[in-house]
Amino acid sequence: MFCAKCGESSFTKLQANQYQCSKCHFTYFHNVAAAVSAIINVQGNVLLTARAKAPGKGLLDLPGGFVDPGESLEQALVRELKEELAFKVENLNYLFSFANPYLFRDVEYNTVESVFEIRCAQQPFFNIEKEEISQIIWLPPNKIEQNKLAFESTKRAIQAYIK
């Protein structure tokens, strides 16, 4: 691992998420990244998205994504749903959160995913972002096959939602 400050290959791991450069003594913290997702429920069916790219390409997920600097969880979810589905959020309700390892380009990131519920009286129109989502699927939560879900946090979210 190369130091972000001096560029030398001189990082040593001090703790689980803490690294220090032995040359310039810069300390880097590989902290948890925040992510958000939505359980969009229409008359008992939940929206799932098929991932169009890695990680988890082809597997199912809940719509959402990473929180950008300066955003609240709610702002991030509103932005992500607008970007991915052209969906305007009118109301959302916080449900729960789960830790999640997220492997991307051979680097494992530790994330915490906050899950919100959005209830709609009728199925909204979506204009999906094809680079992110290959298709959308509506299923009752108890009919969702766990082995087809992309992430451990999504599996845990669906299980908790069913309860």
Side-chain angles (χ1 to χ4, degrees):
M1 182 185 272
F2 291 92
C3 177
K5 186 173 179 184
C6 72
E8 294 291 325
S9 178
S10 54
F11 262 127
T12 55
K13 189 173 191 173
L14 301 177
Q15 295 178 15
N17 70 328
Q18 185 180 5
Y19 300 83
Q20 189 170 57
C21 177
S22 60
K23 301 281 185 194
C24 72
H25 305 289
F26 171 74
T27 301
Y28 169 72
F29 293 90
H30 194 64
N31 289 324
V32 174
V36 290
S37 61
I39 294 177
I40 300 174
N41 186 319
V42 176
Q43 300 172 0
N45 290 315
V46 170
L47 173 78
L48 295 167
T49 59
R51 292 184 58 83
K53 63 182 183 179
K57 183 176 181 178
L59 295 174
L60 300 177
D61 198 6
L62 295 170
F66 285 100
V67 178
D68 287 343
E71 284 184 322
S72 69
L73 298 173
E74 295 82 1
Q75 289 169 329
L77 187 58
V78 167
R79 176 187 50 77
E80 285 287 346
L81 294 176
K82 183 178 178 183
E83 289 172 2
E84 292 181 359
L85 299 169
F87 178 59
K88 185 175 186 268
V89 177
E90 293 186 18
N91 59 21
L92 48 94
N93 180 43
Y94 174 81
L95 295 177
F96 32 69
S97 64
F98 296 102
N100 186 48
Y102 186 86
L103 186 65
F104 182 69
R105 296 186 180 168
D106 298 326
V107 176
E108 185 172 287
Y109 297 88
N110 292 301
T111 68
V112 63
E113 185 161 349
S114 297
V115 183
F116 292 82
E117 180 186 43
I118 300 169
R119 289 192 170 265
C120 301
Q122 58 188 8
Q123 208 170 90
F125 169 78
F126 296 118
N127 185 12
I128 65 173
E129 182 182 359
K130 299 284 188 187
E131 291 179 12
E132 297 279 334
I133 299 170
S134 60
Q135 72 179 100
I136 58 173
I137 298 165
W138 291 94
L139 288 171
N142 62 348
K143 300 289 185 196
I144 298 170
E145 295 179 51
Q146 294 285 304
N147 64 336
K148 293 188 177 180
L149 296 173
F151 303 108
E152 192 60 35
S153 60
T154 307
K155 293 174 187 176
R156 291 172 61 200
I158 296 297
Q159 290 168 354
Y161 190 70
I162 291 169
K163 291 178 183 178

